[in-house]
Amino acid sequence: MTAITSPIDGSRLADVADTAPAALEQMFDLAMAAWDDWRRITPADRGRFLFETARIIRSRVDEIAALETANCGKLIADTRREVLRAAACFEYYGGYADKVTGTTVPVDIRFHTYTTREPYGVVVGIVPWNAPFIFAAKKIAPAIAFGNSVLLKPALETPLTARLLGEILAEAGTPPGVAQIVCGGADVGAAMVSHAHTALVVFTGSDRGGAAVGAAAAQRFVPTALELGGKSPQIVFADADLDAAVDGIVEGFAGSCGQMCIAGSRLLVDAVIRREVTERLAERVGTLRVGDPRDPATQVGPQATAAQAAKTRDFIAEGTRSGTLVAEAEVPSGPSLVGGNWVAPTVFADLPTDSRVVRDEIFGPVLTVESFDHPDDALRMAHATDFGLAAGVWTSDVGRALGTARELRVGTIWVNTYRILNDAVPFGGIGRSGYGRENGTEAPGLYTWPKSVWISTEPGVPPSYRKVVE
Ligand code: NAD
């Protein structure tokens, strides 16, 4: 049994039992049986279940957002947006369900050769604690739209809204076993990955977790997609619109209290404007309002877990020891917030380039500042990490924007904006940020496999393929 605690004041929200091994076994059997029926119904009919799920989510947006904020500590405006994005995700894949087609391939007039896209069967989805509802939706919706059944596991600490999504899917009439929610930690996730019925694993989490999942899945030759962490640069050139850039930088590192895989946590700024940018940042960060995420005036909430808050504070202590403190927000001290996971958004400069504050993913609201003298140095510094998830580029020169985007080896690049995502746009990383792509036209390639069929129109093996017997 896991006690689910509030990140706002440490109070107990619920007790949630891990899915026991015997129950997990039954769920896999049910998922396998359900899949055999689910894959046979028409794709358009599958889509209708997704549309109904989206309709129910929209009708309960306030309730779901409040629960997500209570469990994760995210701003209520953010969780509302995420719940609506989750509804949009079910609508997107509801509409996509009957638009996945195969091809006919004109190889030779003596054959009718065609391809189809086949669902894998039982998909295992595993998601982290920073955005459980939207991540659960992003695994479940495409998996079932394209004819799979799915077992989805949220993180141990934040299972509440994913469990609610399971109930909503049932309320929408989705047949039992098509989409099930499993509860527990890494041990339960590992059992799911290694299960004999698992045909595909879609994982979002840390690089450490992803490496373990990838290695375990490889033992059974099960394909995986790994959406992992990042240490994304925000590159600000001297010709940038600094008002917009400073907004984007603050949103990019302190949004969601820094708990974003795409956090723009490394500022690389042209030396010519470094002073002006850091002064503006110090002013903005110093006045950020950290506090109760249920209050609409709050700009930064707590960290989702006490362990993550302790980790972030440890990085801040390291930054304070070895760098220069550029800016720091205040943590709240009201009596109702005692016991919450409060961390101050903090900006450091002058850190050694090999400092772990500069190199490692923190997953908290910490920004490091480095400056460059030449644009080529900016690229070299951007690539001084094994991660390759995202980058921000701030410039008013369209040639520089295009050239920098061309050279950056990361999965997503935002120019003069940051932190915007959409189901229609492929998303994923390279290197230590993982492999595989979600969203848009990449989704059918992830959730189905291609089958090729050759039909002879002139029966028999073509003469040129016959073994010549003297
Ligand atoms: P984590 O890897 O510890 O856990 C993520 C999920 O995987 C949890 O549900 C956990 O129980 C499960 N898990 C962990 N080890 C496992 C194993 N060996 N086998 C099976 N399941 C296992 O990550 P976290 O600390 O919960 O989440 C934060 C990380 O997630 C950060 O690195 C962040 O960047 C990353 N993330 C990536 C994306 C993306 O789309 N690229 C999005 C959000 C978060």
Side-chain angles (χ1 to χ4, degrees), residues 73 90 187 227 290 292 374 376:
F90 276 97
D187 52 336
E227 301 282 354
V290 184
D292 191 329
H374 189 275
D376 288 350

Side-chain angles (χ1 to χ4, degrees), residues 126-131 135 139 153-157 184-191 193 203-210 212-213 216 226-230 259-262 308 361 363 387 389 427-429 433 438:
I126 298 177
V127 297
W129 43 258
N130 59 325
F135 284 153
K139 304 291 188 224
K153 192 191 83 60
L156 184 67
E157 304 87 345
D187 52 336
V188 177
V193 171
F203 175 89
T204 297
S206 64
D207 49 340
R208 207 173 65 148
V213 165
L226 304 177
E227 301 282 354
L228 310 178
Q259 301 160 117
M260 299 173 282
C261 54
I262 52 172
Q308 177 59 49
E361 181 182 49
F363 224 54
F387 292 107
L389 193 60
F427 180 79
S433 295
E438 298 190 317

Side-chain angles (χ1 to χ4, degrees), residues 110-131:
R110 290 168 299 172
F111 303 100
H112 177 66
T113 309
Y114 66 93
T115 66
T116 59
R117 301 290 324 186
E118 304 288 324
Y120 277 95
V122 179
V123 174
V124 160
I126 298 177
V127 297
W129 43 258
N130 59 325

Side-chain angles (χ1 to χ4, degrees), residues 100-104 113-119 448-453:
V100 176
T101 57
T103 56
T104 55
T113 309
Y114 66 93
T115 66
T116 59
R117 301 290 324 186
E118 304 288 324
T448 65
W449 54 275
K451 178 185 278 181
S452 305
V453 181

